[in-house]
Amino acid sequence: MNRSKWALWGLGLILVLGLVGCGGQGGGDTRTVNASLGTWNYGGQNPGLAVILWADLQAPTSPDGFKVTVTGPSSASPVTYGPFGSSLSGPVFWWSLRSGVVPASGDHTISATLNASQSLNRTFKLDANSTLPQPQNVTVQATQNSATFSWSSVSGAKSYFVELWQLDNQGNPTSRLLTWYTTATQVQFTQNAGLQLPPGNYRARVFAASVDLTQLRRPGQAAQLDPQINFSAAWSQQAVQVQSVGTLRVVPAPDTAPVLPPEPDAEGGLSQ
């Protein structure tokens, strides 16, 4: 009788350890494929939805790429992203922010089939009230051929992503031309032979992230993703005017430029 009890106890322990090793949330090996879901605080009436996926691809994706699907109370129907494709194996990550999807607290499932041997199907409990503060004091200084954007450190942020947008005649962002990942609180670009912007006005949008995006190109980063990831964003308070190649100056931002309805969605693409 005692032997039977010990045998059953041992079997139960093995099963528990097995569940811990699998992450306890189902769907794929979280050491090689993982994801996070959260909020995007861009200063609107409601936050947007943030999602990120990281994978150590053991084989290239299929010729048609793969799609990421999020189901849950944040949307009446599944939200689909992609397709995304990679012709190489190794670590890749992708993230997307949507202002048109308002997060709702509760269980959400992220699913994706990357290739014949790797897939993801995990359930996350989203806290829609958890947000990251917006970057503050996003300003720019310019010399004749370089511009430096800076901002105040954001509490809870582990990294930042900066976009440079060209503006139309009304001051609305129309084309994203440059991007940076950084853990610092400033970025600099220089007008030179390798980077020439056409004449016009430009503004920067700074994102703060609760994950270190600069590390996600490295192997073994799946465990860095917490179940919830939060982003925030803010525009620079001034614009940079490119008068000609090698000539920059700072100009007041047009009155119509701050947070536009709807806020342009953001995506990190499939980075490898």
Side-chain angles (χ1 to χ4, degrees), residues 4 53 60 65 75 77 91 110 131 136 153 167-168 187 203 220 239 241 244 254 272:
S4 298
L53 180 143
S75 178
S77 57
I110 299 179
T131 59
Q136 300 294 316
S153 178
L167 309 178
D168 62 17
V187 296
R203 291 183 77 191
Q241 185 178 79
S244 62
Q272 187 164 35

Side-chain angles (χ1 to χ4, degrees), residues 4-5 12 32 40 52 62 87 91 104 113 116 121 131 139 156 159 175 177 207 209 216 224 250 254 265 268-269:
S4 298
K5 288 184 177 180
T32 61
W40 174 29
I52 188 170
S62 65
S87 59
T113 299
N121 186 32
T131 59
T139 57
S159 66
S175 301
L177 300 184
F207 296 82
L216 291 184
Q224 186 192 157
V250 178
D265 291 342

Side-chain angles (χ1 to χ4, degrees), residues 236-255:
S236 63
Q237 297 172 358
Q238 299 95 13
V240 172
Q241 185 178 79
V242 177
Q243 297 176 320
S244 62
V245 174
T247 303
L248 302 175
R249 70 185 184 97
V250 178
V251 298
D255 293 338

Side-chain angles (χ1 to χ4, degrees), residues 56-67:
D56 186 358
L57 289 179
Q58 298 170 2
T61 58
S62 65
D64 297 330
F66 66 91
K67 295 182 179 180

